[in-house]
Amino acid sequence: QVQLVESGGGLVQTGDSLRLSCAASGRTFSGYAMGWFRQAPGKEREFVAGISWSGGTTYYTDSGKGRFTISRDNAKKMVYLQMDSLKPEDTAVYYCAADLIGSGSSTKMYEWHYWGQGTQVTVSS
């Protein structure tokens, strides 16, 4: 079992930065990949970024590439999503997820095994 708890969401303005955090507990954290998804109102949940178990490889969708940075601290059992130059279209609930067998690159929700409860990010124009 893996438990994930996100934090760090909030209301910001266009161009601001925000760092999301996800605390993991349960299974050995360094043994699995982690990722961030987001879901905007009326839209499907979409992959934002992923990171391998070691932190050595990261993956991004075009929407976040160059603006978002995923990182992890295995000693603290934490994964982060640094979001810069935020835009109104980044408004969504952001979810942390764990992939116990993959690389962290999958964009398919069903390939991720555990999810957090989500944290709201709202970017005003």
Side-chain angles (χ1 to χ4, degrees), residues 3-118:
Q3 293 79 42
L4 303 172
V5 179
E6 304 95 334
S7 61
L11 173 63
V12 297
Q13 295 185 332
T14 297
D16 285 352
S17 296
L18 204 59
R19 189 176 84 152
L20 305 183
S21 299
C22 175
S25 60
R27 290 179 60 142
T28 304
F29 182 69
S30 59
Y32 50 87
M34 296 293 296
W36 289 93
F37 283 70
R38 69 184 182 185
Q39 188 167 17
K43 295 188 176 181
E44 295 187 351
R45 195 171 299 188
E46 63 173 358
F47 177 81
V48 175
I51 188 166
S52 64
W53 66 270
S54 67
T57 306
T58 56
Y59 310 91
Y60 299 94
T61 54
D62 288 343
S63 60
K65 199 171 294 183
R67 298 188 300 123
F68 295 178
T69 304
I70 187 171
S71 62
R72 66 189 294 163
D73 185 333
N74 286 346
K76 295 182 178 179
K77 298 184 179 181
M78 297 289 294
V79 64
Y80 307 98
L81 185 67
Q82 176 68 38
M83 304 186 293
D84 299 320
S85 303
L86 283 162
K87 307 174 182 179
E89 50 264 44
D90 295 318
T91 295
V93 177
Y94 284 72
Y95 297 90
C96 176
D99 181 355
L100 303 186
I101 61 175
S103 64
S105 63
S106 176
T107 61
K108 301 176 177 66
M109 281 184 56
Y110 62 83
E111 293 187 345
W112 292 79
H113 303 92
Y114 293 97
W115 296 85
Q117 83 289 349

